[in-house]
Every structure is written in structure tokens, then in C-alpha cells.
């Protein structure tokens, strides 16, 4: 079996697992404010205080506060957007360096790793990595 087939099969298994987990795990969502209060302490550890409310709203919009969220595989990168803040799986080098894990998708499904990579992105491009207004 070729590397692409193994990667595709592994990704399908991870996605099935995460979908099952997402369906069975209640998330701490505040639909009224469109934010993720459960994840704000983690966000506070990694972001300036003034940015935390915005990042919480981004997490709500991107994943509905679900750290196990996976998008469909993007045609442009061949990888999905992953986790709480829907980090593009194409940020492989940054993710490996930041989280000290080889498997990028699995690493980004960990909320701590996801937020650390998000902080790197924030420090290197600001909120421009996410749509912070209408979500369109």
C-alpha cells in the first residue's frame, strides 16, 4: 500500500473516531454569546487578555467549541482543518515544532497543541488567519 493510501486510510479512521467522540461528548458552548467559556482558561494561558474573547468566539464559530472537530480534506492542501480553532493541517512544520509530535492531525486534535499553534499563527499574521467578522 502506498504512503498516500495509508495516510488516507489513517485520516478516515481518525475522522470516524473524532466524529463518534464529538457526537457523544457534550461541549461547553454558550450559544447566546457565540463563545466557548470552557476553553477560555486555556486561551488565557496562551493569548493576551484582550484577544481571549475574540479567540473564544472564533473557536465557537470554527468548531462549536469541539476540540475534536475535523473539516473535510481541502483540495488545495490535501489536509483538513483541525481542532478547536480549525488549524489547517498544512501547518505541519509549525505543528511538529510547537507540539513535538510527528502526526500533525492527531497533535492538532489536542486542545493545548491546537491553541499553541494558533498562538504562533497569531504572532505571525494576527487574526488574519481566521475570519473574525461575519464568518463568511
Amino acid at each position: 500500500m502506498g504512503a498516500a493510501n495509508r495516510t488516507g486510510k489513517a485520516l478516515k479512521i481518525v475522522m470516524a473516531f473524532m466524529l463518534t467522540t464529538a457526537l457523544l461528548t457534550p461541549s461547553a458552548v454558550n450559544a447566546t454569546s457565540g463563545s466557548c467559556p470552557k476553553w477560555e482558561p486555556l486561551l488565557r494561558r496562551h493569548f493576551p487578555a484582550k484577544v481571549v474573547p475574540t479567540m473564544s468566539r472564533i473557536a465557537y464559530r470554527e468548531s462549536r467549541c469541539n476540540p475534536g472537530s475535523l473539516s473535510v480534506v481541502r483540495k488545495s492542501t490535501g489536509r483538513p482543518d483541525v481542532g478547536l480553532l480549525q488549524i489547517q493541517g498544512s501547518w505541519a512544520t509549525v505543528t511538529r515544532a510547537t507540539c513535538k509530535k510527528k502526526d500533525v492531525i492527531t497533535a492538532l486534535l489536542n486542545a493545548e497543541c491546537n491553541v499553541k499553534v494558533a498562538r504562533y499563527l497569531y504572532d505571525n499574521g494576527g487574526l488574519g488567519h481566521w475570519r473574525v467578522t461575519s464568518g463568511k
Side-chain angles (χ1 to χ4, degrees):
M1 183 183 320
N5 287 339
R6 284 192 303 273
T7 301
K9 185 175 181 179
L11 186 58
K12 286 178 186 177
I13 291 168
V14 169
M15 290 176 76
F17 172 76
M18 296 315 300
L19 177 61
T20 303
T21 302
L23 293 173
L24 298 176
T25 305
S27 60
V29 175
N30 185 337
T32 304
S33 68
S35 65
C36 301
K38 173 182 177 180
W39 297 106
E40 288 175 8
L42 176 63
L43 293 168
R44 273 190 221 89
R45 286 199 310 267
H46 296 284
F47 285 93
K50 67 181 183 176
V51 180
V52 170
T54 300
M55 295 308 295
S56 183
R57 288 189 301 275
I58 289 170
Y60 176 81
R61 190 191 60 244
E62 295 288 341
S63 71
R64 290 301 188 259
C65 310
N66 179 1
S69 180
L70 277 168
S71 74
V72 297
V73 173
R74 289 173 167 257
K75 289 180 183 178
S76 61
T77 65
R79 296 177 184 248
D81 295 342
V82 185
L84 189 63
L85 292 159
Q86 290 292 280
I87 306 298
Q88 290 184 14
S90 60
W91 284 100
T93 303
V94 170
T95 300
R96 287 184 190 111
T98 302
C99 302
K100 310 296 186 238
K101 303 284 183 190
K102 288 185 180 185
D103 184 338
V104 173
I105 304 302
T106 302
L108 288 171
L109 289 169
N110 173 284
E112 182 85 27
C113 172
N114 194 276
V115 171
K116 285 180 180 180
V117 173
R119 176 58 195 255
Y120 171 89
L121 296 174
Y122 174 78
D123 288 345
N124 294 277
L127 294 171
H129 289 282
W130 300 271
R131 291 186 183 115
V132 295
T133 54
S134 67
K136 293 181 181 177

